[in-house]
Amino acid sequence: MSPPRPTNFRVGAVLVNEGANQILSTGYTLELPGNTHAEQCALRKYSNANHVAEEDAGTILPIQTVLYTTMEPCQARSAGNVSCVERILGTLTAETRSIKTVYIGVKEPSIFVAANAGQSRLEQAGIICVHVPGLEEEIMRTATAGHHIS
């Protein structure tokens, strides 16, 4: 589980082959070395397990791959890191739309980024984004653990 820190959200992500009802990979914030995000960890672990570079994940993901994430994927990162939206868009190849749907637990609050347009950018690229209601309070309680809110 992600360690609680005041400088990031604790987020989880799951890559699923929807057609086979099979979990392909999971990830959570700071699971891998560096300032890693959940979606980044899930994609990197899947790529590593299949012996391809992360940027080539789209060439091997099943066509019916979907992504579940507790929080809207980020559209911008600091310090030159690639955003989660760019990583997801990077799975699109000329032949396939590898991640066709992203299921989102909550929109990213404007604590670290004024207005995250991650969902909008994904939808503009033809990726379906679905809000999964019902767990918002629990997700936010977990995501903001370690934050000093006054």
Side-chain angles (χ1 to χ4, degrees):
M1 180 180 286
S2 300
R5 294 177 55 194
T7 56
N8 63 270
F9 293 113
R10 297 168 72 196
V11 177
V14 182
L15 276 172
V16 176
N17 178 342
E18 192 172 53
N21 196 30
Q22 172 190 24
I23 293 175
L24 301 172
S25 183
T26 62
Y28 59 85
T29 306
L30 303 176
E31 178 180 9
L32 299 176
N35 185 22
T36 54
H37 285 193
E39 300 89 339
Q40 174 184 6
C41 291
L43 284 165
R44 185 175 294 165
K45 287 167 50 182
Y46 181 78
S47 299
N48 288 347
N50 288 281
H51 311 290
V52 300
E54 183 183 342
E55 57 270 15
D56 294 329
T59 64
I60 60 166
L61 282 168
I63 291 175
Q64 294 184 313
T65 298
V66 299
L67 174 69
Y68 289 85
T69 183
T70 56
M71 187 174 287
E72 175 185 21
C74 70
Q75 65 141 2
R77 297 279 307 270
S78 61
N81 289 312
V82 176
S83 74
C84 294
V85 166
E86 290 302 321
R87 291 173 193 282
I88 294 165
L89 295 177
T91 69
L92 306 180
T93 65
E95 299 81 35
T96 65
R97 184 170 303 280
S98 292
I99 296 177
K100 64 178 183 130
T101 305
V102 176
Y103 294 94
I104 301 169
V106 296
K107 294 280 286 173
E108 181 177 357
S110 59
I111 294 173
F112 302 118
V113 178
N116 183 15
Q119 180 174 336
S120 296
R121 289 203 47 222
L122 293 171
E123 290 171 339
Q124 289 169 2
I127 295 173
I128 299 165
C129 292
V130 178
H131 172 244
V132 180
L135 297 172
E136 293 88 352
E137 286 184 29
E138 185 176 343
I139 289 169
M140 287 308 300
R141 187 171 40 257
T142 299
T144 58
H147 292 200
H148 304 289
I149 301 171
S150 50

